[in-house]
Amino acid sequence: MGKFKIAVLPGDGIGPEITEQALKVLKAVGSKFGHEFKFTEGLVGGAAYDAAGHPLPRETLDLCHQSDAILLGAVGGPKWDDLPVHLRPEAGALLPLRKALGLYANLRPARVFPALVNASTLKPEVVSGLDVLVVRELTGGLYFGQKRREPLPEGGIKVIDTLEYTTPEIERIVRLAFQMARKRRGKLTSVDKANVLESSRHWREVVSGLAAEYPDVELDHMYVDNCAMQLVKNPRQFDVIVTENMFGDILSDQASMLSGSLGMLASASIGGKIGLYEPSHGSAPKYAGLKRANPIATVLSGAMLLKFSLSLDRESEAVEQAVTRVLDLGYRTADLMEEGMKLVNTDEMGDLIAQEVGNG
Ligand code: IPM
Ligand code: MG
């Protein structure tokens, strides 16, 4: 029995409605397993900019620091797209939050639930049984390197983004990925562009250097372009993929679609004292308030929160099983809808999963 403080940052667009469903499910976990969760809401993203003039207000950061874990919905929307970059929800809130909390590891598991094998745009025989974990470095690389614009004498400008990594930054994410692989099927694919980039060449040196410490993990190196191709050709060859920030951003979206919908992909950002959990998808402004969004990615992010931040493995498992059962029973949100299935809205999907946690 435990007492836990969770910061809840619903954000923008569909953020509030999907977050609400994850809270229902966590509350169901609380009653079933006898834990006490104290949820405290904070402002983030465009909602925070509107209310407090900044996408990541001081109070929100303080709330995060005082919590055991953070559950985030999504941020951003056309309303805030023209703000200066440091005030935009994505660059002004998400990136500083990752940096401030030291969340250098982003875990994005892409799984194909048996009931959804036909929902993928790829053939069922290609994706059936798929279970890939993308481990993305989250606080380095192009995202955080120096950026500049310089005027050119002849007119126009020169733009510069810098891709920097240090040995320790690479080592810590790669170690984490080796450890994840060890707990799964024992296979690690390190993805880089070592045929072109100096940062990738060092990435590869570091990975190869650490391999001796994990003799039980089968390691291979793959160029990022090849990996993009292999992910659609034969995605089941992968167990754990580890890669730098930008490559991971792209490959994790790609991997998520294998599972049928971006609405299924959870994520955990860890590495610091406090973990942050959010769906991998965005705020889908055009669906905001319509109760059409799929809350499962957020619910499964809640499951990751239970496991990685609160060490409640059994409870985490119970949430995943509840999702599986609800899908097996034929309930689908609009993004997953197929003939013969039962269409439900965001709230109903949340209720069904919460109820199944209780039944489980
Ligand atoms: C993600 C998103 C963010 C990223 C954006 C919104 C800054 O795409 O979490 O993958 O690129 O990291
Ligand atoms: Mg992304």
Side-chain angles (χ1 to χ4, degrees), residues 8 15-29 37 39 71-73 277 279 295-303 305-306 319 346 349-351 353-354 357:
V8 181
E17 60 207 271
I18 53 176
T19 310
E20 196 186 320
Q21 311 316 314
L23 296 189
K24 277 181 196 167
V25 173
L26 289 175
K27 281 175 194 155
V29 167
F37 297 115
F39 301 110
L71 184 73
L72 189 140
Y277 302 83
I296 294 181
T298 319
V299 168
L300 292 175
S301 301
L305 181 156
L306 293 169
V319 172
T346 308
M349 184 53 96
D351 290 337
I353 300 169
V357 166

PDB file of all heavy atoms in Angstrom, residues 8 15-29 37 39 71-73 277 279 295-303 305-306 319 346 349-351 353-354 357:
ATOM      1  N   VAL A   8      -0.416  16.398 -12.572  1.00  0.00           N
ATOM      2  CA  VAL A   8      -1.205  16.150 -13.783  1.00  0.00           C
ATOM      3  C   VAL A   8      -1.217  17.427 -14.614  1.00  0.00           C
ATOM      4  O   VAL A   8      -1.695  18.466 -14.163  1.00  0.00           O
ATOM      5  CB  VAL A   8      -2.650  15.742 -13.417  1.00  0.00           C
ATOM      6  CG1 VAL A   8      -3.460  15.461 -14.670  1.00  0.00           C
ATOM      7  CG2 VAL A   8      -2.634  14.522 -12.505  1.00  0.00           C
ATOM      8  N   GLY A  15      -5.680  17.117 -24.915  1.00  0.00           N
ATOM      9  CA  GLY A  15      -4.953  16.796 -23.675  1.00  0.00           C
ATOM     10  C   GLY A  15      -5.857  16.570 -22.468  1.00  0.00           C
ATOM     11  O   GLY A  15      -5.793  15.517 -21.817  1.00  0.00           O
ATOM     12  N   PRO A  16      -6.743  17.548 -22.144  1.00  0.00           N
ATOM     13  CA  PRO A  16      -7.588  17.381 -20.962  1.00  0.00           C
ATOM     14  C   PRO A  16      -8.489  16.151 -21.017  1.00  0.00           C
ATOM     15  O   PRO A  16      -8.597  15.411 -20.031  1.00  0.00           O
ATOM     16  CB  PRO A  16      -8.423  18.673 -20.936  1.00  0.00           C
ATOM     17  CG  PRO A  16      -7.570  19.681 -21.662  1.00  0.00           C
ATOM     18  CD  PRO A  16      -6.843  18.909 -22.719  1.00  0.00           C
ATOM     19  N   GLU A  17      -9.111  15.888 -22.159  1.00  0.00           N
ATOM     20  CA  GLU A  17     -10.057  14.764 -22.186  1.00  0.00           C
ATOM     21  C   GLU A  17      -9.378  13.395 -22.116  1.00  0.00           C
ATOM     22  O   GLU A  17      -9.927  12.455 -21.531  1.00  0.00           O
ATOM     23  CB  GLU A  17     -11.030  14.865 -23.375  1.00  0.00           C
ATOM     24  CG  GLU A  17     -10.390  14.869 -24.732  1.00  0.00           C
ATOM     25  CD  GLU A  17     -11.232  15.609 -25.810  1.00  0.00           C
ATOM     26  OE1 GLU A  17     -12.052  14.938 -26.427  1.00  0.00           O
ATOM     27  OE2 GLU A  17     -11.040  16.819 -26.041  1.00  0.00           O
ATOM     28  N   ILE A  18      -8.171  13.298 -22.685  1.00  0.00           N
ATOM     29  CA  ILE A  18      -7.479  11.995 -22.595  1.00  0.00           C
ATOM     30  C   ILE A  18      -6.852  11.797 -21.208  1.00  0.00           C
ATOM     31  O   ILE A  18      -6.840  10.693 -20.673  1.00  0.00           O
ATOM     32  CB  ILE A  18      -6.418  11.816 -23.708  1.00  0.00           C
ATOM     33  CG1 ILE A  18      -5.439  12.989 -23.766  1.00  0.00           C
ATOM     34  CG2 ILE A  18      -7.086  11.602 -25.071  1.00  0.00           C
ATOM     35  CD1 ILE A  18      -4.320  12.837 -24.775  1.00  0.00           C
ATOM     36  N   THR A  19      -6.361  12.901 -20.630  1.00  0.00           N
ATOM     37  CA  THR A  19      -5.757  12.800 -19.298  1.00  0.00           C
ATOM     38  C   THR A  19      -6.799  12.338 -18.279  1.00  0.00           C
ATOM     39  O   THR A  19      -6.516  11.514 -17.401  1.00  0.00           O
ATOM     40  CB  THR A  19      -5.195  14.173 -18.874  1.00  0.00           C
ATOM     41  OG1 THR A  19      -4.386  14.671 -19.927  1.00  0.00           O
ATOM     42  CG2 THR A  19      -4.358  14.060 -17.619  1.00  0.00           C
ATOM     43  N   GLU A  20      -8.011  12.881 -18.425  1.00  0.00           N
ATOM     44  CA  GLU A  20      -9.099  12.509 -17.516  1.00  0.00           C
ATOM     45  C   GLU A  20      -9.316  10.988 -17.495  1.00  0.00           C
ATOM     46  O   GLU A  20      -9.591  10.407 -16.447  1.00  0.00           O
ATOM     47  CB  GLU A  20     -10.363  13.220 -18.023  1.00  0.00           C
ATOM     48  CG  GLU A  20     -11.502  13.279 -17.054  1.00  0.00           C
ATOM     49  CD  GLU A  20     -12.745  13.871 -17.746  1.00  0.00           C
ATOM     50  OE1 GLU A  20     -12.611  14.837 -18.537  1.00  0.00           O
ATOM     51  OE2 GLU A  20     -13.843  13.331 -17.508  1.00  0.00           O
ATOM     52  N   GLN A  21      -9.173  10.364 -18.657  1.00  0.00           N
ATOM     53  CA  GLN A  21      -9.401   8.911 -18.726  1.00  0.00           C
ATOM     54  C   GLN A  21      -8.292   8.156 -17.995  1.00  0.00           C
ATOM     55  O   GLN A  21      -8.550   7.172 -17.301  1.00  0.00           O
ATOM     56  CB  GLN A  21      -9.497   8.427 -20.187  1.00  0.00           C
ATOM     57  CG  GLN A  21     -10.440   9.233 -21.064  1.00  0.00           C
ATOM     58  CD  GLN A  21     -11.759   9.562 -20.393  1.00  0.00           C
ATOM     59  OE1 GLN A  21     -12.380   8.682 -19.793  1.00  0.00           O
ATOM     60  NE2 GLN A  21     -12.192  10.817 -20.482  1.00  0.00           N
ATOM     61  N   ALA A  22      -7.055   8.649 -18.163  1.00  0.00           N
ATOM     62  CA  ALA A  22      -5.945   7.979 -17.473  1.00  0.00           C
ATOM     63  C   ALA A  22      -6.126   8.105 -15.959  1.00  0.00           C
ATOM     64  O   ALA A  22      -5.811   7.170 -15.210  1.00  0.00           O
ATOM     65  CB  ALA A  22      -4.614   8.582 -17.917  1.00  0.00           C
ATOM     66  N   LEU A  23      -6.661   9.246 -15.517  1.00  0.00           N
ATOM     67  CA  LEU A  23      -6.881   9.417 -14.072  1.00  0.00           C
ATOM     68  C   LEU A  23      -7.948   8.453 -13.557  1.00  0.00           C
ATOM     69  O   LEU A  23      -7.802   7.873 -12.480  1.00  0.00           O
ATOM     70  CB  LEU A  23      -7.280  10.865 -13.747  1.00  0.00           C
ATOM     71  CG  LEU A  23      -6.211  11.927 -14.040  1.00  0.00           C
ATOM     72  CD1 LEU A  23      -6.633  13.277 -13.479  1.00  0.00           C
ATOM     73  CD2 LEU A  23      -4.856  11.530 -13.459  1.00  0.00           C
ATOM     74  N   LYS A  24      -9.006   8.270 -14.354  1.00  0.00           N
ATOM     75  CA  LYS A  24     -10.042   7.296 -13.976  1.00  0.00           C
ATOM     76  C   LYS A  24      -9.403   5.920 -13.744  1.00  0.00           C
ATOM     77  O   LYS A  24      -9.723   5.217 -12.792  1.00  0.00           O
ATOM     78  CB  LYS A  24     -11.034   7.101 -15.136  1.00  0.00           C
ATOM     79  CG  LYS A  24     -12.133   8.112 -15.249  1.00  0.00           C
ATOM     80  CD  LYS A  24     -13.011   7.717 -16.463  1.00  0.00           C
ATOM     81  CE  LYS A  24     -13.885   8.882 -16.866  1.00  0.00           C
ATOM     82  NZ  LYS A  24     -14.518   8.662 -18.191  1.00  0.00           N
ATOM     83  N   VAL A  25      -8.527   5.567 -14.688  1.00  0.00           N
ATOM     84  CA  VAL A  25      -7.923   4.237 -14.629  1.00  0.00           C
ATOM     85  C   VAL A  25      -6.982   4.136 -13.417  1.00  0.00           C
ATOM     86  O   VAL A  25      -6.986   3.141 -12.690  1.00  0.00           O
ATOM     87  CB  VAL A  25      -7.197   3.918 -15.958  1.00  0.00           C
ATOM     88  CG1 VAL A  25      -6.422   2.616 -15.869  1.00  0.00           C
ATOM     89  CG2 VAL A  25      -8.205   3.878 -17.116  1.00  0.00           C
ATOM     90  N   LEU A  26      -6.211   5.199 -13.178  1.00  0.00           N
ATOM     91  CA  LEU A  26      -5.306   5.167 -12.013  1.00  0.00           C
ATOM     92  C   LEU A  26      -6.112   5.110 -10.709  1.00  0.00           C
ATOM     93  O   LEU A  26      -5.709   4.435  -9.754  1.00  0.00           O
ATOM     94  CB  LEU A  26      -4.367   6.381 -12.024  1.00  0.00           C
ATOM     95  CG  LEU A  26      -3.293   6.361 -13.118  1.00  0.00           C
ATOM     96  CD1 LEU A  26      -2.485   7.658 -13.116  1.00  0.00           C
ATOM     97  CD2 LEU A  26      -2.340   5.172 -12.953  1.00  0.00           C
ATOM     98  N   LYS A  27      -7.236   5.809 -10.690  1.00  0.00           N
ATOM     99  CA  LYS A  27      -8.090   5.745  -9.485  1.00  0.00           C
ATOM    100  C   LYS A  27      -8.613   4.327  -9.274  1.00  0.00           C
ATOM    101  O   LYS A  27      -8.663   3.830  -8.146  1.00  0.00           O
ATOM    102  CB  LYS A  27      -9.268   6.725  -9.602  1.00  0.00           C
ATOM    103  CG  LYS A  27      -8.849   8.160  -9.287  1.00  0.00           C
ATOM    104  CD  LYS A  27      -9.980   9.146  -9.520  1.00  0.00           C
ATOM    105  CE  LYS A  27      -9.419  10.569  -9.530  1.00  0.00           C
ATOM    106  NZ  LYS A  27     -10.254  11.505 -10.298  1.00  0.00           N
ATOM    107  N   ALA A  28      -8.982   3.682 -10.382  1.00  0.00           N
ATOM    108  CA  ALA A  28      -9.449   2.289 -10.278  1.00  0.00           C
ATOM    109  C   ALA A  28      -8.329   1.393  -9.736  1.00  0.00           C
ATOM    110  O   ALA A  28      -8.567   0.506  -8.920  1.00  0.00           O
ATOM    111  CB  ALA A  28      -9.931   1.794 -11.638  1.00  0.00           C
ATOM    112  N   VAL A  29      -7.097   1.671 -10.170  1.00  0.00           N
ATOM    113  CA  VAL A  29      -5.947   0.910  -9.664  1.00  0.00           C
ATOM    114  C   VAL A  29      -5.795   1.163  -8.165  1.00  0.00           C
ATOM    115  O   VAL A  29      -5.567   0.242  -7.369  1.00  0.00           O
ATOM    116  CB  VAL A  29      -4.650   1.328 -10.402  1.00  0.00           C
ATOM    117  CG1 VAL A  29      -3.409   0.804  -9.689  1.00  0.00           C
ATOM    118  CG2 VAL A  29      -4.676   0.845 -11.851  1.00  0.00           C
ATOM    119  N   PHE A  37      -3.511   7.816  -4.445  1.00  0.00           N
ATOM    120  CA  PHE A  37      -2.875   8.749  -5.362  1.00  0.00           C
ATOM    121  C   PHE A  37      -3.413  10.143  -5.098  1.00  0.00           C
ATOM    122  O   PHE A  37      -4.633  10.347  -5.060  1.00  0.00           O
ATOM    123  CB  PHE A  37      -3.190   8.376  -6.822  1.00  0.00           C
ATOM    124  CG  PHE A  37      -2.668   7.033  -7.231  1.00  0.00           C
ATOM    125  CD1 PHE A  37      -3.541   5.999  -7.562  1.00  0.00           C
ATOM    126  CD2 PHE A  37      -1.307   6.790  -7.279  1.00  0.00           C
ATOM    127  CE1 PHE A  37      -3.065   4.754  -7.946  1.00  0.00           C
ATOM    128  CE2 PHE A  37      -0.822   5.540  -7.660  1.00  0.00           C
ATOM    129  CZ  PHE A  37      -1.695   4.520  -7.992  1.00  0.00           C
ATOM    130  N   PHE A  39      -3.625  13.535  -6.879  1.00  0.00           N
ATOM    131  CA  PHE A  39      -3.412  14.192  -8.169  1.00  0.00           C
ATOM    132  C   PHE A  39      -3.486  15.700  -7.998  1.00  0.00           C
ATOM    133  O   PHE A  39      -4.455  16.210  -7.438  1.00  0.00           O
ATOM    134  CB  PHE A  39      -4.490  13.752  -9.166  1.00  0.00           C
ATOM    135  CG  PHE A  39      -4.518  12.264  -9.413  1.00  0.00           C
ATOM    136  CD1 PHE A  39      -5.567  11.478  -8.948  1.00  0.00           C
ATOM    137  CD2 PHE A  39      -3.483  11.655 -10.110  1.00  0.00           C
ATOM    138  CE1 PHE A  39      -5.592  10.101  -9.172  1.00  0.00           C
ATOM    139  CE2 PHE A  39      -3.502  10.291 -10.348  1.00  0.00           C
ATOM    140  CZ  PHE A  39      -4.554   9.510  -9.875  1.00  0.00           C
ATOM    141  N   LEU A  71       2.111  13.153 -15.088  1.00  0.00           N
ATOM    142  CA  LEU A  71       1.314  12.673 -16.219  1.00  0.00           C
ATOM    143  C   LEU A  71       0.947  13.883 -17.066  1.00  0.00           C
ATOM    144  O   LEU A  71       0.370  14.844 -16.562  1.00  0.00           O
ATOM    145  CB  LEU A  71       0.047  11.980 -15.698  1.00  0.00           C
ATOM    146  CG  LEU A  71      -0.825  11.361 -16.780  1.00  0.00           C
ATOM    147  CD1 LEU A  71      -0.177  10.090 -17.342  1.00  0.00           C
ATOM    148  CD2 LEU A  71      -2.213  11.024 -16.235  1.00  0.00           C
ATOM    149  N   LEU A  72       1.317  13.833 -18.337  1.00  0.00           N
ATOM    150  CA  LEU A  72       1.062  14.979 -19.209  1.00  0.00           C
ATOM    151  C   LEU A  72       0.157  14.572 -20.366  1.00  0.00           C
ATOM    152  O   LEU A  72       0.264  13.441 -20.863  1.00  0.00           O
ATOM    153  CB  LEU A  72       2.410  15.494 -19.721  1.00  0.00           C
ATOM    154  CG  LEU A  72       2.427  16.814 -20.493  1.00  0.00           C
ATOM    155  CD1 LEU A  72       3.662  17.632 -20.080  1.00  0.00           C
ATOM    156  CD2 LEU A  72       2.479  16.626 -21.998  1.00  0.00           C
ATOM    157  N   GLY A  73      -0.738  15.458 -20.764  1.00  0.00           N
ATOM    158  CA  GLY A  73      -1.626  15.177 -21.894  1.00  0.00           C
ATOM    159  C   GLY A  73      -0.916  15.479 -23.202  1.00  0.00           C
ATOM    160  O   GLY A  73      -0.238  14.636 -23.773  1.00  0.00           O
ATOM    161  N   TYR A 277       5.306  11.100 -18.024  1.00  0.00           N
ATOM    162  CA  TYR A 277       4.596  10.111 -18.846  1.00  0.00           C
ATOM    163  C   TYR A 277       3.563  10.822 -19.695  1.00  0.00           C
ATOM    164  O   TYR A 277       2.766  11.606 -19.177  1.00  0.00           O
ATOM    165  CB  TYR A 277       3.956   9.061 -17.919  1.00  0.00           C
ATOM    166  CG  TYR A 277       5.028   8.421 -17.078  1.00  0.00           C
ATOM    167  CD1 TYR A 277       5.476   9.043 -15.903  1.00  0.00           C
ATOM    168  CD2 TYR A 277       5.677   7.281 -17.506  1.00  0.00           C
ATOM    169  CE1 TYR A 277       6.532   8.510 -15.167  1.00  0.00           C
ATOM    170  CE2 TYR A 277       6.725   6.737 -16.782  1.00  0.00           C
ATOM    171  CZ  TYR A 277       7.149   7.360 -15.612  1.00  0.00           C
ATOM    172  OH  TYR A 277       8.207   6.836 -14.912  1.00  0.00           O
ATOM    173  N   PRO A 279       1.315  10.550 -23.778  1.00  0.00           N
ATOM    174  CA  PRO A 279       1.149   9.832 -25.040  1.00  0.00           C
ATOM    175  C   PRO A 279       2.156  10.371 -26.046  1.00  0.00           C
ATOM    176  O   PRO A 279       2.577  11.524 -25.934  1.00  0.00           O
ATOM    177  CB  PRO A 279      -0.283  10.176 -25.459  1.00  0.00           C
ATOM    178  CG  PRO A 279      -0.584  11.466 -24.773  1.00  0.00           C
ATOM    179  CD  PRO A 279       0.170  11.415 -23.480  1.00  0.00           C
ATOM    180  N   PRO A 295      -8.023   7.501 -25.893  1.00  0.00           N
ATOM    181  CA  PRO A 295      -7.251   7.781 -24.675  1.00  0.00           C
ATOM    182  C   PRO A 295      -6.249   6.685 -24.311  1.00  0.00           C
ATOM    183  O   PRO A 295      -5.562   6.790 -23.298  1.00  0.00           O
ATOM    184  CB  PRO A 295      -8.350   7.862 -23.604  1.00  0.00           C
ATOM    185  CG  PRO A 295      -9.386   6.886 -24.066  1.00  0.00           C
ATOM    186  CD  PRO A 295      -9.354   6.924 -25.585  1.00  0.00           C
ATOM    187  N   ILE A 296      -6.168   5.628 -25.139  1.00  0.00           N
ATOM    188  CA  ILE A 296      -5.383   4.453 -24.715  1.00  0.00           C
ATOM    189  C   ILE A 296      -3.893   4.780 -24.559  1.00  0.00           C
ATOM    190  O   ILE A 296      -3.242   4.317 -23.625  1.00  0.00           O
ATOM    191  CB  ILE A 296      -5.615   3.246 -25.659  1.00  0.00           C
ATOM    192  CG1 ILE A 296      -7.066   2.775 -25.526  1.00  0.00           C
ATOM    193  CG2 ILE A 296      -4.658   2.105 -25.337  1.00  0.00           C
ATOM    194  CD1 ILE A 296      -7.445   1.585 -26.383  1.00  0.00           C
ATOM    195  N   ALA A 297      -3.343   5.620 -25.450  1.00  0.00           N
ATOM    196  CA  ALA A 297      -1.919   5.960 -25.306  1.00  0.00           C
ATOM    197  C   ALA A 297      -1.658   6.616 -23.947  1.00  0.00           C
ATOM    198  O   ALA A 297      -0.625   6.366 -23.313  1.00  0.00           O
ATOM    199  CB  ALA A 297      -1.486   6.898 -26.432  1.00  0.00           C
ATOM    200  N   THR A 298      -2.598   7.427 -23.498  1.00  0.00           N
ATOM    201  CA  THR A 298      -2.423   8.101 -22.209  1.00  0.00           C
ATOM    202  C   THR A 298      -2.618   7.121 -21.052  1.00  0.00           C
ATOM    203  O   THR A 298      -1.881   7.144 -20.064  1.00  0.00           O
ATOM    204  CB  THR A 298      -3.416   9.276 -22.083  1.00  0.00           C
ATOM    205  OG1 THR A 298      -3.478   9.938 -23.336  1.00  0.00           O
ATOM    206  CG2 THR A 298      -2.969  10.261 -21.023  1.00  0.00           C
ATOM    207  N   VAL A 299      -3.609   6.243 -21.204  1.00  0.00           N
ATOM    208  CA  VAL A 299      -3.838   5.221 -20.181  1.00  0.00           C
ATOM    209  C   VAL A 299      -2.592   4.323 -20.056  1.00  0.00           C
ATOM    210  O   VAL A 299      -2.131   4.020 -18.949  1.00  0.00           O
ATOM    211  CB  VAL A 299      -5.086   4.376 -20.546  1.00  0.00           C
ATOM    212  CG1 VAL A 299      -5.195   3.137 -19.672  1.00  0.00           C
ATOM    213  CG2 VAL A 299      -6.350   5.233 -20.452  1.00  0.00           C
ATOM    214  N   LEU A 300      -2.026   3.943 -21.200  1.00  0.00           N
ATOM    215  CA  LEU A 300      -0.830   3.087 -21.161  1.00  0.00           C
ATOM    216  C   LEU A 300       0.392   3.859 -20.648  1.00  0.00           C
ATOM    217  O   LEU A 300       1.307   3.270 -20.067  1.00  0.00           O
ATOM    218  CB  LEU A 300      -0.537   2.504 -22.551  1.00  0.00           C
ATOM    219  CG  LEU A 300      -1.566   1.477 -23.068  1.00  0.00           C
ATOM    220  CD1 LEU A 300      -1.243   1.064 -24.505  1.00  0.00           C
ATOM    221  CD2 LEU A 300      -1.606   0.235 -22.171  1.00  0.00           C
ATOM    222  N   SER A 301       0.387   5.179 -20.844  1.00  0.00           N
ATOM    223  CA  SER A 301       1.453   5.994 -20.243  1.00  0.00           C
ATOM    224  C   SER A 301       1.316   5.953 -18.726  1.00  0.00           C
ATOM    225  O   SER A 301       2.308   5.910 -17.991  1.00  0.00           O
ATOM    226  CB  SER A 301       1.381   7.447 -20.729  1.00  0.00           C
ATOM    227  OG  SER A 301       1.505   7.499 -22.139  1.00  0.00           O
ATOM    228  N   GLY A 302       0.065   5.935 -18.260  1.00  0.00           N
ATOM    229  CA  GLY A 302      -0.199   5.773 -16.827  1.00  0.00           C
ATOM    230  C   GLY A 302       0.346   4.435 -16.329  1.00  0.00           C
ATOM    231  O   GLY A 302       0.907   4.339 -15.234  1.00  0.00           O
ATOM    232  N   ALA A 303       0.205   3.395 -17.162  1.00  0.00           N
ATOM    233  CA  ALA A 303       0.735   2.083 -16.785  1.00  0.00           C
ATOM    234  C   ALA A 303       2.262   2.144 -16.668  1.00  0.00           C
ATOM    235  O   ALA A 303       2.864   1.554 -15.761  1.00  0.00           O
ATOM    236  CB  ALA A 303       0.329   1.025 -17.810  1.00  0.00           C
ATOM    237  N   LEU A 305       3.938   4.795 -15.900  1.00  0.00           N
ATOM    238  CA  LEU A 305       4.191   5.575 -14.677  1.00  0.00           C
ATOM    239  C   LEU A 305       4.204   4.652 -13.454  1.00  0.00           C
ATOM    240  O   LEU A 305       5.099   4.724 -12.598  1.00  0.00           O
ATOM    241  CB  LEU A 305       3.114   6.657 -14.554  1.00  0.00           C
ATOM    242  CG  LEU A 305       3.146   7.643 -13.388  1.00  0.00           C
ATOM    243  CD1 LEU A 305       2.402   8.923 -13.787  1.00  0.00           C
ATOM    244  CD2 LEU A 305       2.555   7.091 -12.113  1.00  0.00           C
ATOM    245  N   LEU A 306       3.201   3.774 -13.397  1.00  0.00           N
ATOM    246  CA  LEU A 306       3.118   2.852 -12.262  1.00  0.00           C
ATOM    247  C   LEU A 306       4.379   2.001 -12.174  1.00  0.00           C
ATOM    248  O   LEU A 306       4.928   1.786 -11.099  1.00  0.00           O
ATOM    249  CB  LEU A 306       1.890   1.940 -12.421  1.00  0.00           C
ATOM    250  CG  LEU A 306       0.511   2.629 -12.331  1.00  0.00           C
ATOM    251  CD1 LEU A 306      -0.589   1.676 -12.782  1.00  0.00           C
ATOM    252  CD2 LEU A 306       0.252   3.127 -10.908  1.00  0.00           C
ATOM    253  N   VAL A 319      -3.254  -2.743 -15.704  1.00  0.00           N
ATOM    254  CA  VAL A 319      -3.790  -1.744 -16.640  1.00  0.00           C
ATOM    255  C   VAL A 319      -3.640  -2.257 -18.073  1.00  0.00           C
ATOM    256  O   VAL A 319      -4.574  -2.182 -18.879  1.00  0.00           O
ATOM    257  CB  VAL A 319      -3.076  -0.381 -16.467  1.00  0.00           C
ATOM    258  CG1 VAL A 319      -3.504   0.590 -17.559  1.00  0.00           C
ATOM    259  CG2 VAL A 319      -3.357   0.204 -15.081  1.00  0.00           C
ATOM    260  N   THR A 346     -14.335   8.907 -26.175  1.00  0.00           N
ATOM    261  CA  THR A 346     -13.182   8.984 -25.266  1.00  0.00           C
ATOM    262  C   THR A 346     -13.564   8.589 -23.833  1.00  0.00           C
ATOM    263  O   THR A 346     -12.876   7.770 -23.202  1.00  0.00           O
ATOM    264  CB  THR A 346     -12.643  10.426 -25.279  1.00  0.00           C
ATOM    265  OG1 THR A 346     -12.436  10.812 -26.637  1.00  0.00           O
ATOM    266  CG2 THR A 346     -11.347  10.556 -24.515  1.00  0.00           C
ATOM    267  N   MET A 349     -14.454   4.862 -23.438  1.00  0.00           N
ATOM    268  CA  MET A 349     -13.259   4.010 -23.449  1.00  0.00           C
ATOM    269  C   MET A 349     -12.577   4.063 -22.079  1.00  0.00           C
ATOM    270  O   MET A 349     -12.174   3.037 -21.534  1.00  0.00           O
ATOM    271  CB  MET A 349     -12.311   4.452 -24.574  1.00  0.00           C
ATOM    272  CG  MET A 349     -11.079   3.591 -24.745  1.00  0.00           C
ATOM    273  SD  MET A 349     -11.424   1.816 -24.927  1.00  0.00           S
ATOM    274  CE  MET A 349     -11.413   1.606 -26.692  1.00  0.00           C
ATOM    275  N   GLY A 350     -12.478   5.256 -21.505  1.00  0.00           N
ATOM    276  CA  GLY A 350     -11.879   5.387 -20.173  1.00  0.00           C
ATOM    277  C   GLY A 350     -12.659   4.599 -19.124  1.00  0.00           C
ATOM    278  O   GLY A 350     -12.075   3.873 -18.303  1.00  0.00           O
ATOM    279  N   ASP A 351     -13.989   4.726 -19.182  1.00  0.00           N
ATOM    280  CA  ASP A 351     -14.836   4.006 -18.218  1.00  0.00           C
ATOM    281  C   ASP A 351     -14.656   2.495 -18.343  1.00  0.00           C
ATOM    282  O   ASP A 351     -14.553   1.785 -17.341  1.00  0.00           O
ATOM    283  CB  ASP A 351     -16.322   4.338 -18.460  1.00  0.00           C
ATOM    284  CG  ASP A 351     -16.656   5.776 -18.075  1.00  0.00           C
ATOM    285  OD1 ASP A 351     -15.912   6.363 -17.258  1.00  0.00           O
ATOM    286  OD2 ASP A 351     -17.643   6.327 -18.613  1.00  0.00           O
ATOM    287  N   ILE A 353     -12.120   0.779 -19.503  1.00  0.00           N
ATOM    288  CA  ILE A 353     -10.814   0.288 -19.029  1.00  0.00           C
ATOM    289  C   ILE A 353     -10.773   0.318 -17.491  1.00  0.00           C
ATOM    290  O   ILE A 353     -10.322  -0.632 -16.847  1.00  0.00           O
ATOM    291  CB  ILE A 353      -9.654   1.098 -19.639  1.00  0.00           C
ATOM    292  CG1 ILE A 353      -9.674   1.000 -21.172  1.00  0.00           C
ATOM    293  CG2 ILE A 353      -8.309   0.592 -19.106  1.00  0.00           C
ATOM    294  CD1 ILE A 353      -8.741   1.966 -21.891  1.00  0.00           C
ATOM    295  N   ALA A 354     -11.294   1.405 -16.921  1.00  0.00           N
ATOM    296  CA  ALA A 354     -11.305   1.514 -15.452  1.00  0.00           C
ATOM    297  C   ALA A 354     -12.106   0.356 -14.840  1.00  0.00           C
ATOM    298  O   ALA A 354     -11.693  -0.264 -13.854  1.00  0.00           O
ATOM    299  CB  ALA A 354     -11.889   2.851 -15.041  1.00  0.00           C
ATOM    300  N   VAL A 357     -10.204  -2.827 -14.966  1.00  0.00           N
ATOM    301  CA  VAL A 357      -9.170  -2.896 -13.911  1.00  0.00           C
ATOM    302  C   VAL A 357      -9.812  -3.428 -12.638  1.00  0.00           C
ATOM    303  O   VAL A 357      -9.265  -4.301 -11.956  1.00  0.00           O
ATOM    304  CB  VAL A 357      -8.536  -1.494 -13.655  1.00  0.00           C
ATOM    305  CG1 VAL A 357      -7.732  -1.488 -12.365  1.00  0.00           C
ATOM    306  CG2 VAL A 357      -7.646  -1.086 -14.823  1.00  0.00           C
TER     307      VAL A 357
END
